[in-house]
Amino acid sequence: MATPPGARQATTHPQVLTGATVVLPTGTVPDGRVTIDGTRIVPEATQGTARVIDVRNHWLVPGFVDLHNHGGGGASFSGTAEDVQQAIHAHRRHGTTTLVASTVTDDMDVLVRQAGLLSELAEQGDLAGIHFEGPFISPCRKGAHSEALLRDPDPAEVRKLIDAARGRAKMVTLATELPGGIDSVRLLAEHGVIAAVGHTDATYEQTVEAIEAGATVATHLFNAMPPLGHRAPGPIAALLEDERVTVELINDGVHLHPAALELAFHRAGAGRVAFITDAMDAAGIGDGRYMLGPLEVEVSEGVARLVEGGSIAGSTLTLDRAFKRAVTVDRLPVQDVVAALSANPARLLGMDDRVGSLEPGKDADLVLLDENYDLKGVMRQGVWVVEPQLA
């Protein structure tokens, strides 16, 4: 297995982090204490001499879990194995310790090949799985996807992608109103793969039908779907009102007005929101020209748009920035933000027995933030990806 740039070896001694405000599922604990032995959080140090790290005046939160991410650090999940590792590590340095790699619409043969590559990295533990965003989406709401490569969600072709992922497919985004859409939702549900409603032109009634068939996620709610209307409420109302649906939100200040984010939290509740990045190559890098699948993207002042047509093309967001914005701009409680960044997506992925909260027995995945909610340290499975910056 390739070692990501900057990776460190696991420590041989237990580590004890003391003094921080620790965010637990039951609430926040001032002057808390978290003990790590090997790759796991433990109740107390069990062997050797523990390394004690004083992190007072900081927040200690679970590592972030990103359900929807196309790349970062100048590399894409549609690229080579080296590209994928580069993107993974770029997001780890911003606190994302569990990451699902998202593809973008392309020729089916290309997607099948990429699924094979990504599934190998998932088998090694570098990725939490694969999310196929496209090609089964609406040309009316295509966003930054090539219209020439879009197709209806034929269950046989959906099954082809699932099979290519060798058990590592986690989610497929569909315009469920298209021919074959509802049958594809049922197929995905039968195979334990999340069916996500997105890039859709569906009506309210069509979206309700998709949820009844087994769809459980709204792909970047509000974006790439009809707006909420008082006579034609469309998919937004259906997705917000159903307790079975988790709604993705891109909290970068570009994709959503703060009032839309507040509406989603108020209607869905903190237990049904998952903050995502929908990041592309430029995340963590900066402005310039990049590729998103077969399409060229211009990033200017941190906003990614297609060169042709000007549609928003993913984001340059990292989840540490989403955390800070949620607390300082949106004024959300830290506990709710942690749920949206860690616990909720972990539960949705079926990984909450290992990640998503700071509890004994779980992976030692954590993020250290200062009083201003700026990232000061990242640990993944007991290894410091970003050493604590406490000066």
Side-chain angles (χ1 to χ4, degrees), residues 291-313:
M291 298 300 295
L292 183 61
L295 302 178
E296 191 173 14
V297 175
E298 176 78 32
V299 178
S300 177
E301 298 182 353
V303 180
R305 294 186 180 275
L306 291 182
V307 172
E308 291 189 16
S311 292
I312 292 178

Side-chain angles (χ1 to χ4, degrees), residues 114-135:
Q114 197 63 20
L117 184 153
L118 294 172
S119 66
E120 290 180 10
L121 294 171
E123 288 161 6
Q124 294 172 1
D126 296 328
L127 293 169
I130 306 167
H131 163 219
F132 296 100
E133 187 180 27

Side-chain angles (χ1 to χ4, degrees), residues 108-372:
M108 281 294 291
D109 290 340
V110 172
L111 291 174
V112 165
R113 287 196 300 272
Q114 197 63 20
L117 184 153
L118 294 172
S119 66
E120 290 180 10
L121 294 171
E123 288 161 6
Q124 294 172 1
D126 296 328
L127 293 169
I130 306 167
H131 163 219
F132 296 100
E133 187 180 27
F136 311 116
I137 61 177
S138 171
C140 302
R141 304 286 174 178
K142 65 182 183 296
H145 292 257
S146 172
E147 184 168 355
L149 296 171
L150 300 183
R151 58 184 66 208
D152 291 338
D154 179 346
E157 294 206 312
V158 174
R159 177 63 186 269
K160 186 177 181 181
L161 289 184
I162 297 173
D163 290 345
R166 302 201 301 262
R168 300 295 173 169
K170 287 292 185 179
M171 184 161 67
V172 178
T173 293
L174 305 162
T176 54
E177 76 279 8
L178 295 176
I182 297 300
D183 287 340
S184 292
V185 169
R186 294 193 182 102
L187 172 73
L188 291 167
E190 288 168 3
H191 286 80
V193 179
I194 297 163
V197 178
H199 288 275
T200 176
D201 205 39
T203 64
Y204 173 88
E205 291 77 13
Q206 289 170 326
T207 306
V208 168
E209 183 184 8
I211 296 168
E212 290 299 328
T216 56
V217 166
T219 292
H220 42 56
L221 186 74
F222 298 108
N223 297 114
M225 59 182 63
L228 187 64
H230 64 291
R231 291 194 182 91
I236 294 171
L239 294 163
L240 280 176
E241 73 184 9
D242 198 296
E243 296 295 322
R244 294 169 289 185
V245 176
T246 298
V247 298
E248 294 182 348
L249 299 175
I250 308 171
N251 193 23
D252 61 352
V254 175
H255 283 78
L256 294 176
H257 189 283
L261 183 136
E262 182 181 6
L263 172 65
F265 262 90
H266 177 75
R267 185 63 186 89
R272 289 177 46 218
V273 172
F275 281 140
I276 60 163
T277 60
D278 194 17
M280 43 79 71
D281 301 25
I285 294 293
D287 292 353
R289 289 225 171 177
Y290 300 86
M291 298 300 295
L292 183 61
L295 302 178
E296 191 173 14
V297 175
E298 176 78 32
V299 178
S300 177
E301 298 182 353
V303 180
R305 294 186 180 275
L306 291 182
V307 172
E308 291 189 16
S311 292
I312 292 178
S315 85
T316 61
L317 186 64
T318 52
L319 285 182
D320 59 329
R321 286 171 45 210
F323 190 114
K324 181 169 182 174
R325 180 179 176 84
V327 177
T328 62
V329 177
D330 302 308
R331 303 294 181 183
L332 293 171
V334 170
Q335 192 82 16
D336 290 352
V337 177
V338 168
L341 284 168
S342 302
N344 298 343
R347 183 175 61 251
L348 188 67
L349 293 171
M351 299 179 67
D352 53 327
D353 60 331
R354 289 180 39 214
V355 301
S357 61
L358 299 178
E359 297 177 274
K362 293 194 177 182
D363 289 355
D365 293 356
L366 54 87
V367 175
L368 186 67
L369 304 165
D370 67 14
E371 292 175 300
N372 298 316

